[in-house]
């Protein structure tokens, strides 16, 4: 054993080159006593020499005696490595085991402090980070326990609860509940009877290909980013070329005559602020080889541009290095939805003249003072008190806000999953029972939710360890839905704030800023076209081509934001509107030529054939006080009511929904 120990030490350094085997006798005997091999004993002795005898140039008998007196071999024998197949309690690569180890140390320290000082130990969740409180060492059952919110603090002292702060089409009168029920019975007795028994009057259908629970994400390669941006430019080129009947000119090729250019807006400085002097136009790889040239917008009467926006414009490129824009074509939105009159009549039979009713609210759902979720309870009480209750309750996250002071500070007595199950899902379940399931509750996550990955797009927020309430549906972020005939698009990402910070704009006379920002989404056919995205809302480009796409132009666009709440109609410009704008500009140029070469006046903005309604419901909780929510009524089409009453159909062609004319929106204080 002494010889083996000597060889093991000599392999560890020149300090043990001339070590005498007689000095190692006691060390070898102690190693055999504790069941250690020569290599393990040599490692323990070498560690002792490095830490406590770092100035020694040779091994002395006193060094061996001090090492044995310190019981170093006994500690080394108690921490011998286990076989590879055995479970390791303190495996640093095992997240749960690491938390068990930390919690065990904290718990033992707290017990010692309590035993010595007599003071009560602080709860473990208040001594660890938010991440540690998210995954507790000992996971209790996640069955939603009954939680009754208590109202207190500034939220209980809020003023003007229920007051309307903004509205759209306030002149539309809503039929009384009793009259609506009688009318529905007259139009379609069996359907109305079924509705009175608790069946939902509104069908919910998910459109497009949103993010799924099992989809892989956050595997964002450079090739995925290029393909995402290239696909958007190519799709715009094809749509504009088909509508105008002409080819797209390469952005870097000289063009003396007015030509059609399609490309993506970029900034000339990485991370710089976009302004009219820093604009670049990037063409597609297919038509322009990915070239970038400067964009001169000085001749445009108005424009709104942001990084990542795909635009189509008419202009010239005299030198091949700068495109001089003469006309910025309207957006390239997908065609608006249309529905046959027979289906509209069937929907009108089920809902009556009152039509559909929606309540929309965006998180946070609890005040910053506590996690009682009193604002959410107040909202559910409002919905339950309506006669009849709303057909759809749309709740957009965050549900467990990562920016909440108690969550951010790790001052929780339960895990995030338990908090979501007991505060949100349990209240939704009680509300569904109270209204007999007549209200469909839709849940959309947010990038600020601690239970969801902070990357856009997001998969539906699952109920961890708990059953999803029967009348609720977890949706992806973003989502496009069909509620009867209504097409609704929603995302919890704050697009309005992000675009407002980055855009370069020259507003047209009488143009409203917030509806114009909302109209950009439909014009881009994407729920978050800003690129590069802001730091607080990263985008997974590998999934963005499908999960962020807008399959059809929505009738109702829900965009929660920290900006002022509003409800406004916004134009939906399709490639057909671009063709009409080009034709109007050509007529103006021809008229100017006949008038003796006088310059043609600036063309007025082209009116869109369809308009969507954009709603920013605000935040349900603002700090320690209450915020706002939106109550939306979609009245039935008069033509559909007439056909449902027995009148012959005037046409068999699908009709535009015209939601902007029959939609009443009231944004109220909670």
């Amino acid at each position: 054993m002494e010889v083996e120990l000597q060889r093991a030490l000599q392999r560890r350094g020149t300090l043990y080159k001339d070590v005498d085997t007689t000095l190692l006798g006691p060390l070898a005997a102690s190693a055999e006593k504790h069941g250690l091999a020569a290599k393990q004993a040599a490692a323990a002795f070498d560690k002792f020499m490095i830490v406590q005898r770092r100035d020694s140039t040779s091994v002395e008998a006193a060094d061996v005696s001090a090492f044995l007196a310190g019981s170093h071999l006994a500690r080394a024998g108690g921490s011998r490595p286990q076989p590879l197949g055995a479970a390791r309690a303190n495996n640093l690569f095992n997240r749960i085991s690491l938390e068990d180890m930390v919690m065990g140390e904290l718990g033992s320290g707290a017990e010692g402090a309590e035993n010595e000082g007599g003071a009560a130990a602080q709860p473990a969740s208040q001594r660890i980070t938010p991440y540690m409180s998210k995954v507790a060492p000992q996971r209790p059952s996640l069955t939603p326990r009954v939680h009754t919110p208590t109202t207190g603090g500034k939220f209980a002292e809020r003023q003007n609860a229920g007051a309307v702060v903004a509205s759209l089409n306030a002149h539309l009168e809503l039929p009384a509940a009793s009259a609506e029920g009688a009318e529905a019975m007259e139009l379609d007795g069996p359907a109305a009877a079924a509705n009175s028994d608790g069946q939902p009057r509104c069908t919910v259908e998910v459109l497009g290909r949103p993010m799924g629970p099992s989809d892989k994400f956050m595997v964002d390669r450079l090739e995925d980013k290029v393909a995402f941006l290239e696909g958007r430019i190519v799709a715009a080129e094809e749509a504009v070329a088909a509508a105008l009947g002409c080819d797209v000119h390469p952005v870097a090729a000289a063009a003396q005559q007015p030509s059609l250019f399609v490309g993506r807006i970029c900034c000339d400085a990485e991370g710089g602020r976009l302004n009219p002097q820093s604009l670049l136009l990037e063409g597609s790889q297919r038509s322009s080889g990915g070239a970038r040239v400067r964009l001169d917008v000085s001749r445009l009467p108005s424009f709104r541009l942001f990084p990542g926006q795909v635009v189509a414009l008419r202009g010239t490129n005299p030198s091949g290095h700068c495109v001089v824009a003469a006309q910025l074509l309207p957006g390239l939105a997908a065609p608006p939805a249309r529905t046959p009159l027979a289906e509209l009549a069937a929907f009108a039979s089920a809902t009556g003249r009152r039509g559909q009713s929606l309540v929309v609210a965006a998180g946070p759902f609890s005040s910053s003072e506590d996690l009682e979720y009193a604002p959410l309870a107040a909202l559910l009480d409002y919905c339950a008190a309506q006669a009849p209750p709303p057909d759809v309750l749309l709740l957009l996250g965050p549900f467990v806000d990562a920016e909440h002071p108690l969550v951010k500070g790790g001052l929780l007595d339960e895990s995030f999953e338990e908090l979501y199950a007991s505060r949100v899902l349990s209240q939704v379940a009680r509300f569904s029972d109270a209204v007999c399931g007549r209200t469909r509750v839709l849940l959309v996550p947010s990038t600020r939710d601690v239970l969801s990955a902070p990357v856009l797009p997001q998969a539906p927020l699952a109920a961890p360890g708990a059953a999803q309430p029967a009348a609720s549906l977890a949706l992806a972020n973003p989502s496009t839905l069909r509620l009867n005939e209504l097409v609704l698009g929603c995302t919890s990402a704050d697009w309005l704030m992000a675009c407002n910070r980055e855009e370069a704009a020259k507003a047209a006379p009488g143009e409203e800023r917030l509806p114009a920002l909302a109209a950009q989404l439909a014009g881009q056919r994407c729920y978050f076209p800003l690129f590069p995205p802001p730091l607080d809302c990263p985008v997974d480009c590998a999934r963005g081509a499908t999960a962020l796409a807008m399959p059809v132009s929505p009738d109702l666009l829900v965009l929660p934001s920290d900006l002022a709440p509003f409800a406004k109609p916004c134009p939906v410009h399709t490639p057909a509107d671009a063709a009409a704008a080009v034709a109007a500009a050509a007529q103006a140029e021809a008229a100017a030529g006949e008038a003796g070469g006088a310059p043609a006046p600036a063309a007025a903005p082209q009116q869109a054939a369809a308009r969507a309604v954009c709603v920013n419901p605000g935040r349900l909780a603002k700090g320690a006080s209450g915020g706002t929510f939106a109550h939306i009524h979609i009245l039935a089409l008069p033509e559909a009511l007439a056909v449902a009453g027995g009148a012959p159909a005037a046409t068999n062609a699908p009709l535009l929904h015209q939601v902007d004319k029959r939609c009443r929106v009231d944004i109220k204080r909670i």
Side-chain angles (χ1 to χ4, degrees):
M1 183 67 175
E2 291 85 349
V3 177
E4 296 177 357
L5 187 58
Q6 181 186 32
R7 293 176 180 175
L9 287 173
Q10 289 175 350
R11 284 194 294 267
R12 287 191 158 276
T14 58
L15 177 65
Y16 314 103
K17 181 178 180 180
D18 300 325
V19 63
D20 191 357
T21 55
T22 58
L23 295 177
L24 302 180
L27 183 60
S30 181
E32 291 178 353
K33 177 182 177 181
H34 294 91
L36 295 179
K39 291 183 179 179
Q40 295 174 322
F45 184 72
D46 184 50
K47 179 180 178 181
F48 168 79
M49 294 296 294
I50 293 175
V51 175
Q52 300 188 21
R53 297 291 193 273
R54 57 179 177 270
D55 296 331
S56 300
T57 58
S58 62
V59 179
E60 305 292 341
D63 299 333
V64 177
S65 300
F67 174 76
L68 296 176
S71 301
H72 295 281
L73 288 181
R75 291 195 295 269
S79 60
R80 282 179 293 174
Q82 298 177 347
L84 293 178
R88 301 184 181 182
N90 295 332
N91 186 0
L92 294 181
F93 298 98
N94 187 327
R95 184 177 64 180
I96 305 301
S97 299
L98 177 60
E99 293 167 0
D100 289 339
M101 180 182 65
V102 175
M103 289 296 296
E105 294 177 358
L106 291 176
S108 61
E111 293 176 0
E114 181 178 0
N115 294 335
E116 293 177 4
Q122 190 180 13
S125 61
Q126 299 185 12
R127 299 190 301 269
I128 57 180
T129 64
Y131 171 78
M132 296 292 288
S133 62
K134 175 181 177 181
V135 186
Q138 298 178 353
R139 292 177 176 269
S141 174
L142 292 178
T143 302
R145 58 185 178 88
V146 178
H147 175 78
T148 303
T150 58
T151 303
K154 292 185 179 180
F155 181 76
E157 302 172 357
R158 66 191 187 280
Q159 303 293 328
N160 302 325
V164 178
V165 299
S167 62
L168 174 66
N169 292 334
H171 63 280
L172 295 179
E173 296 184 359
L174 303 178
S178 58
E180 185 271 338
E183 180 191 14
M185 286 290 292
E186 181 180 354
L187 292 177
D188 193 346
N195 294 337
S196 64
D197 289 340
Q199 298 298 327
R201 305 185 309 163
C202 180
T203 59
V204 179
E205 178 187 359
V206 180
L207 304 179
R209 296 175 56 190
M211 192 80 171
S214 60
D215 291 344
K216 295 181 179 180
F217 62 100
M218 295 178 68
V219 187
D220 203 4
R221 304 169 301 174
L222 182 60
E223 295 85 350
D224 298 326
K225 298 179 184 292
V226 173
F228 173 64
L229 299 175
E230 175 72 8
R232 294 186 55 224
I233 301 176
V234 170
E237 289 180 347
E238 295 175 351
V240 173
L244 272 60
C246 61
D247 296 332
V248 176
H249 197 276
V251 298
Q256 305 298 330
Q257 299 297 326
S259 304
L260 176 64
F261 298 93
V262 176
R264 181 173 68 96
I265 298 297
C266 306
C267 184
D268 60 358
E270 186 71 23
R273 175 81 182 204
L274 198 67
N275 58 71
Q277 288 72 38
S278 63
L279 293 173
L280 297 179
L281 185 66
E282 178 185 274
S284 66
Q285 295 184 8
R286 187 177 70 173
S287 63
S288 303
R292 290 184 178 184
V293 296
R294 290 203 168 272
L295 178 61
D296 184 1
V297 295
S298 59
R299 301 184 182 182
L300 296 179
S302 62
F303 58 85
R304 286 190 174 274
L305 302 173
F306 60 86
Q309 180 181 5
V310 178
V311 297
L313 54 91
R314 293 179 70 249
T316 59
N317 189 353
S319 62
H321 301 287
C322 180
V323 173
V324 181
Q327 182 184 16
L328 184 64
L329 302 185
L332 308 174
R338 298 172 182 263
T339 304
L341 188 55
E343 295 185 18
L344 294 175
F347 294 140
S349 299
T351 60
R353 186 180 300 275
R354 192 180 182 89
Q356 302 181 62
S357 174
L358 296 85
V359 172
V360 181
F365 293 97
S366 182
S367 66
S368 59
E369 292 181 336
D370 52 43
L371 287 172
E372 291 294 324
Y373 283 72
L376 177 60
L379 177 68
L380 297 178
D381 291 342
Y382 169 86
C383 295
Q386 300 298 305
D391 300 309
V392 174
L393 172 59
L394 177 60
L395 302 179
L396 300 103
F399 297 101
V400 184
D401 189 7
E403 299 299 325
H404 193 282
L406 299 180
V407 176
K408 196 173 183 179
L411 304 177
L412 300 181
D413 294 328
E414 53 189 332
S415 67
F416 296 153
E417 293 89 347
E418 291 177 316
L419 191 67
Y420 176 65
S422 63
R423 302 303 198 273
V424 179
L425 295 184
S426 63
Q427 291 199 57
V428 169
R430 288 201 304 268
F431 165 73
S432 298
D433 294 339
V435 299
C436 301
R438 286 177 291 179
T439 299
R440 195 70 183 271
V441 183
L442 308 179
L443 307 173
V444 179
S446 168
T447 54
R448 285 170 51 180
D449 267 310
V450 295
L451 294 176
S452 183
V455 180
L456 201 68
Q458 292 177 291
L461 189 60
Q468 191 81 20
S472 66
L473 177 62
L475 299 174
N477 177 31
S479 288
T480 305
L481 311 174
R482 187 187 296 275
L483 311 177
N484 288 356
E485 80 278 6
L486 175 70
V487 177
L488 182 147
C490 61
T491 177
S492 59
D494 196 345
W495 159 255
L496 298 175
M497 179 68 77
C499 186
N500 182 60
R501 291 173 177 172
E502 299 294 337
E503 76 164 354
K506 180 181 179 182
E511 183 184 38
E512 296 185 77
R513 178 172 57 93
L514 294 180
L517 295 177
Q520 297 279 22
L521 294 185
Q524 296 294 303
R525 303 190 187 188
C526 180
Y527 279 102
F528 207 87
L530 186 65
F531 193 89
L535 296 178
D536 58 350
C537 187
V539 173
D540 186 352
C541 295
R543 292 292 178 182
T546 55
L548 291 180
M550 193 175 289
V552 62
S553 294
D555 303 316
L556 179 64
L557 192 57
V558 178
L559 299 176
S561 175
D562 292 331
L563 297 177
F566 70 93
K568 297 284 186 180
C570 58
V572 178
H573 291 287
T574 63
D577 297 325
V582 171
Q587 292 179 1
E589 293 176 0
E594 294 177 359
Q606 184 70 22
Q607 296 295 325
R611 295 198 304 174
V613 174
C614 179
V615 177
N616 170 22
R619 304 293 182 184
L620 191 65
K622 291 185 177 180
S625 185
T628 56
F629 67 97
H631 197 164
I632 306 171
H633 297 273
I634 311 293
L635 304 182
L637 273 172
E639 299 90 337
L641 287 173
V643 174
T651 178
N652 294 327
L655 301 180
L656 287 173
H657 297 164
Q658 303 178 24
V659 172
D660 61 306
K661 298 179 181 179
R662 57 188 180 100
C663 172
R664 174 173 173 172
V665 183
D666 295 319
I667 299 180
K668 302 180 179 181
R669 297 187 185 277
I670 188 62

